Structures are given as C-alpha cells and as structure tokens.
C-alpha cells in the first residue's frame, strides 16, 4: 500500500538523517531493506521502533569481498540505494555510484551528507548545529540580546536532510520514468538548511526583516507572534499576524478598549507585550485553551511532544500512532487513493535470511552460498 508501493530501496545503516529519509519512503509504501554492519548494529542506528519502522534488515561484513557481493546482489534488484557516509567511503568499500550504477543503470543512488560531496568542508565532521550555522539558519533564532539558540536537530538532520533526501529520490524516480536512467542524488544538510531560509531572504530583500535577532515580526520580536506564560507555568502560542485576527486576540483578552499602540508600531511593542503577558498570567493553559478554542485569534496551547497526541485535533486525524509499544507520529502526507499502511516494527529479516534475500530476487543457490560464506548475518 502507499504511492511508492513496488519501489525497492536498499539502505546502508547510519544515523538520523538518512534513516529518517528512508522511513518516509517506507511510510509511503516502498520496500526498504536496511543493511547493518556486522557486529555494529547497536552503535549505528537509533532506538528500535522510531526511525527504523517499516523495514527488513540484514547484517553484512563489508570488509570482505563476499560481503560486498551481498550488497551488489540486492542492488541489482533495487530501484534506490541510500548511504550516509563521508565522501569517498562508499567508493573505498566498493559500493560507490560507479560500481552500483554500473550494475544497475536504472538505480537512483541517494547520498546523505552534512557538507555535500564537494567543497572545502566536504571531508569534515559536523552535526546539525554546524550545518545550520553556516547556512544562515541558526543566527536568526533566539531572543534579542541573547546568543543564537539551537532548535534541537530539526532543521538540518530532518527538514534539510532526510526530508530533502526523500524528495530528491522521489524526483529522480519520476525522471527515470521519462529517461529510463537512474542518477545520483547529492543531499547535503547544509544545502537543505539554507533552502529553508528562502522566505527569510525574501522578507529581508523586501525590507520586512530590518532588525537584529529577536526584534522582527516573526522571530519573537513582535507581541503578536510570540509565546506567553500562563498561571500554571505553561505557555500559549500567539500568531495573529493579520489585523482582523489580532483584533480577536485583544477582544478575547479583554484588551480591545485598552488604547494600546498600533499593532505594527514596533516602538510600542514592549507596552503591548507587557499588557498581553499580564492577562495570560491570570489563567492556566487549560483555561486559555478553552477560551480560544472556537476563535480565529490564532492562539494555541504549547504542548510537549508527549502531550501532542492527546489534543482533540490530533486525535481526530490520528496524527499519532503506536508502532509496537512506541507512540510516534503517523505517516504524512495523506493520499486519497493510495493510502499508506500503518508502519510496523522493524523486521530483522536475517532471522530468515533466505526469505529476506529471496524476496529481493536472489536465487536460492546464491543465498545458500552467501550464508555459507558468512557474508550475511543475523543483525
């Protein structure tokens, strides 16, 4: 089930960005086979039931020619191959684009890195915070007069990394239908993080982002786009950018007749913020949630990730599901005809290696030979 049903993906085990991209592909119906490094399963992947849902796995010793042969055998039957090594590592292992695309000219070869396949930083180590730092995505995040604040590892690892990887792969698969040929997708987190700032660059060019960090309309500088503490120490999010929504906010707060400065007068923002904060501090988050429930004032409770599944809207849309015993977000987006199936737990297919490799088109004699050579293992 799902719009990618029938697409076969070989994933080399790695850390968060590439597994997230392959999780998306699996959620959309692709058949994903993850190849773990023999003896290194626990150190390479995230906790079971999170990013590894919807896959089968086998473990392969890539230090041996026979182990490399296992990868070649399954890639010969694949549509997509994904690796997240530093540039040059896949080539040294014998599973680079030249080797694999030579075996399978229709193969879409996905490469997930932080810095990309070239450039002066390509060979350097890094993490999400480093990629968004030089992409210009970190500096604008934070309060005025304070240091930039890292937004977890959401922007580069997941939005600019894994999600862009999945989009690149799907785009290459579409193009392959026209040309009959695969290609290499170079998905760099620094590129994806920079792309996420496109709107910000547009606002700057239009003179709508004139100030320093934390002083602009959408970065917490404006009182109509910020968070406010409630009486129980929790928070409400306010995002009433448009004047008619802002008017509803003031009305619900009892400030409609308070003679506050104009909404867009930045000189008056401190006064407006103090007034709004003073009112929000008088009631609990639950009380304010009820007050704004049927309003277009663009006010929402700030929920923790562990509370989000309890919100009535998320419950109505089944936005969170259980995979095994782990509660996690459901696949997205949704499709009217080719709905995605609910993902299942990772299936360590090496418990039945013959079944796993047979499902990928390998003949029984080849499977027996590879197993006898201990080229493929139980993860």
């Amino acid at each position: 089930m799902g719009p990618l049903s029938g697409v076969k993906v070989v994933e080399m085990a790695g850390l968060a960005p590439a597994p997230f991209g392959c999780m998306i592909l699996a959620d959309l119906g692709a058949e994903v086979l993850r190849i773990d490094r023999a003896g290194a399963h626990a150190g390479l992947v995230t906790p079971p039931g999170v990013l590894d849902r919807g896959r089968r796995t086998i473990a392969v010793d890539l230090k041996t020619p026979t182990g490399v042969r296992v990868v070649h055998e399954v890639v010969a039957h694949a549509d997509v191959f994904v690796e997240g090594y530093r540039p040059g590592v896949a080539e040294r292992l014998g599973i680079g684009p030249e080797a694999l695309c030579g075996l399978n000219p229709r193969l879409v070869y996905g490469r997930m890195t932080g810095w990309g396949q070239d450039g002066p930083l390509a060979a350097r180590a890094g993490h999400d915070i480093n990629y968004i730092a030089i992409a210009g995505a970190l500096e604008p995040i934070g309060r005025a007069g304070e240091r930039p604040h890292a937004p977890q590892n959401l922007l580069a690892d997941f939005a600019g990394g894994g999600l862009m990887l999945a989009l690149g792969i799907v785009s290459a698969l579409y193009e392959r239908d026209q040309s009959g040929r695969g290609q290499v997708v170079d998905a760099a987190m620094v590129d994806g993080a920079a792309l996420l700032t496109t709107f910000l660059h547009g606002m700057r060019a239009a003179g709508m982002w004139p100030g320093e960090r934390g002083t602009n309309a959408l970065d917490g500088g404006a009182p109509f786009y910020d968070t406010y503490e409630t009486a129980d120490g929790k928070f409400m999010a306010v995002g009433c950018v448009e004047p008619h929504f802002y008017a509803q906010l003031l009305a619900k707060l009892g400030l409609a007749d308070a003679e506050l400065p104009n909404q867009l007068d930045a000189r008056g923002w401190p006064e407006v913020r103090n007034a709004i904060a003073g009112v929000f501090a008088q009631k609990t988050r639950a009380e304010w949630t009820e007050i704004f429930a049927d309003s277009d004032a663009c006010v929402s409770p700030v929920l923790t990730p562990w509370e989000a599944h309890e919100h009535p809207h998320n419950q109505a849309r089944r936005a969170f599901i259980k995979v095994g015993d782990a509660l996690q977000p459901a696949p997205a987006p949704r499709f009217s005809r080719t709905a995605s199936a609910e993902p299942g737990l990772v299936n360590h297919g090496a418990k039945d290696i013959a079944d796993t490799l047979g499902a990928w088109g390998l003949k029984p004699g080849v499977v027996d030979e590879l197993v006898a050579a201990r080229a493929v293992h139980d993860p």
Side-chain angles (χ1 to χ4, degrees):
M1 297 176 66
L4 293 185
S5 179
V7 173
K8 304 184 83 169
V9 179
V10 176
E11 170 196 4
M12 301 306 295
L15 297 177
F20 181 66
C22 291
M23 183 201 82
I24 293 172
L25 299 177
D27 284 351
L28 296 179
E31 182 181 350
V32 180
L33 175 65
R34 189 182 73 212
I35 298 181
D36 295 336
R37 212 165 56 194
H41 178 271
L44 278 175
V45 294
T46 50
V50 185
L51 299 184
D52 63 353
R53 68 193 192 192
R55 295 165 171 77
R56 284 191 175 195
T57 72
I58 57 174
V60 172
D61 184 358
L62 292 176
K63 295 180 180 179
T64 67
T66 315
V68 173
R69 181 188 168 194
V70 174
V71 178
H72 287 198
E73 291 281 357
V74 294
V75 164
H77 301 277
D79 297 289
V80 178
F81 177 83
V82 173
E83 53 93 352
Y85 304 126
R86 291 199 206 186
V89 172
E91 285 82 353
R92 291 197 295 273
L93 291 172
I95 55 174
E98 185 175 351
L100 298 190
C101 294
L103 289 171
N104 182 353
R106 289 177 54 84
L107 184 70
V108 172
Y109 190 114
R111 315 198 81 167
M112 181 80 264
T113 60
W115 303 114
Q117 294 299 312
D118 52 30
L121 294 176
R124 301 279 71 80
H127 283 293
D128 186 291
I129 193 170
N130 307 116
Y131 310 134
I132 66 174
I134 76 160
L138 175 59
E139 193 278 338
I141 301 175
R143 290 292 182 183
E146 299 181 5
R147 66 184 187 276
H149 181 72
Q152 302 176 52
N153 63 328
L154 298 177
L155 293 185
D157 279 357
F158 299 113
L163 187 58
M164 291 296 178
L165 171 68
L167 175 61
I169 287 171
V170 171
S171 299
L173 288 171
Y174 174 81
E175 192 280 335
R176 189 185 69 174
D177 284 346
Q178 321 304 314
S179 68
R181 299 170 59 196
Q183 61 182 304
V184 176
V185 178
D186 176 4
M189 286 175 261
V190 66
D191 297 345
L195 185 63
L196 296 175
T197 69
T198 302
F199 181 71
L200 179 59
H201 280 273
M203 293 190 70
R204 178 78 171 186
M208 299 173 65
W209 199 274
E212 301 299 321
R213 175 175 58 254
T215 65
N216 302 283
L218 301 180
D219 62 358
F224 53 81
Y225 204 88
D226 206 351
T227 58
Y228 292 92
E229 189 169 0
T230 56
D232 52 350
K234 297 179 181 179
F235 296 88
M236 298 295 290
V238 173
C240 48
V241 177
E242 296 82 356
H244 51 293
F245 296 151
Y246 179 69
Q248 291 192 45
L249 169 72
L250 296 184
K252 287 287 187 180
L253 294 177
L255 295 172
D257 299 321
E259 297 185 359
L260 294 172
N262 182 273
Q263 176 186 1
L264 300 181
D265 182 1
R267 295 168 300 178
W269 284 354
E271 179 183 348
V272 176
R273 186 188 312 280
N274 288 337
I276 293 175
V279 177
F280 270 118
Q282 297 172 15
K283 298 182 186 295
T284 67
R285 188 185 70 178
E287 290 174 316
W288 285 120
T289 299
E290 181 64 26
I291 290 170
F292 284 100
D294 297 321
S295 168
D296 275 342
C298 304
V299 177
S300 308
V302 178
L303 305 177
T304 69
W306 336 123
E307 296 176 299
H309 70 282
E310 299 172 347
H311 192 279
H313 186 81
N314 291 334
Q315 288 183 341
R317 290 185 58 80
R318 297 195 71 247
F320 291 82
I321 58 173
K322 271 199 169 184
V323 180
D325 295 327
L327 186 71
Q328 54 193 273
R334 306 178 187 197
F335 300 84
S336 62
R337 286 192 302 103
T338 56
S340 299
E342 287 198 3
L345 288 170
V346 61
N347 177 355
H348 293 304
K351 293 177 181 177
D352 189 347
I353 296 172
D355 177 66
T356 297
L357 296 181
W360 277 73
L362 276 69
K363 295 180 180 179
V366 173
V367 174
D368 292 342
E369 181 183 344
L370 294 173
V371 172
R374 294 198 55 76
V376 59
H377 304 263
D378 190 351

